[in-house]
């Protein structure tokens, strides 16, 4: 089905630059890493600036979720050899449930609820990290 969520890791550029969306949800980032069969599927949260927006894979080893608002629109960061930060993008965002056929609305609503819970957990993690 063409409306299924697809994931792609970029070697250059940004998600929006290639018609995809950055992944800004921790659970979706981890699901994307599993779908792409990456070696790390547990995202570490970072607030660093000058990082790709949202979900990215660092040095082909570590999964990160960049949450700094100043990184919005940032794509692949490859300026330091051997230290590439490659964005992981999705074909759709968490609010795309309305575009899906009616028979898929209920499952996407359940997914959205889970994502909201993930975001709350993420917010709690962020508060702890700041302290």
């Amino acid at each position: 089905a063409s409306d299924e969520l697809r994931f792609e890791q970029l070697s250059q550029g940004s998600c929006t630059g290639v018609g995809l969306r950055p992944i800004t949800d921790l659970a979706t980032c981890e699901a994307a890493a599993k779908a792409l069969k990456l070696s790390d599927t547990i995202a570490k949260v970072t607030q660093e600036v000058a990082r790709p927006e949202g979900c990215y894979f660092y040095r082909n080893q570590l999964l990160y979720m960049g949450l700094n608002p100043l990184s919005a629109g940032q794509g692949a960061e490859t300026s330091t050899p051997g230290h590439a930060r490659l964005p992981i993008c999705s074909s759709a965002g968490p609010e795309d449930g309305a575009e899906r056929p009616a028979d898929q609305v209920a499952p996407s609503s359940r997914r959205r609820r889970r994502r909201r819970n993930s975001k709350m957990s993420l917010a709690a993690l962020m508060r702890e990290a700041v302290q």
Side-chain angles (χ1 to χ4, degrees), residues 97-112:
E99 297 174 14
R100 297 177 187 264
D103 63 330
Q104 293 185 9
V105 170
S108 69
S109 297
R110 281 196 294 275
R111 276 196 296 275
R112 214 174 288 131

Side-chain angles (χ1 to χ4, degrees), residues 46-52 56 66-72 74 77 85:
T46 181
Q47 285 286 338
E48 292 293 321
V49 183
R51 300 292 188 258
Y56 67 91
L67 296 177
N68 193 313
L70 297 176
S71 293
Q74 295 282 357
E77 202 292 292
R85 293 175 174 89

Side-chain angles (χ1 to χ4, degrees), residues 26 114-128:
L26 190 65
R114 267 188 241 126
R115 283 190 183 119
R116 198 172 302 125
N117 290 341
S118 295
K119 287 179 184 176
M120 289 191 304
S121 301
L122 186 55
L125 276 172
M126 295 307 301
R127 280 194 298 274
E128 289 178 16

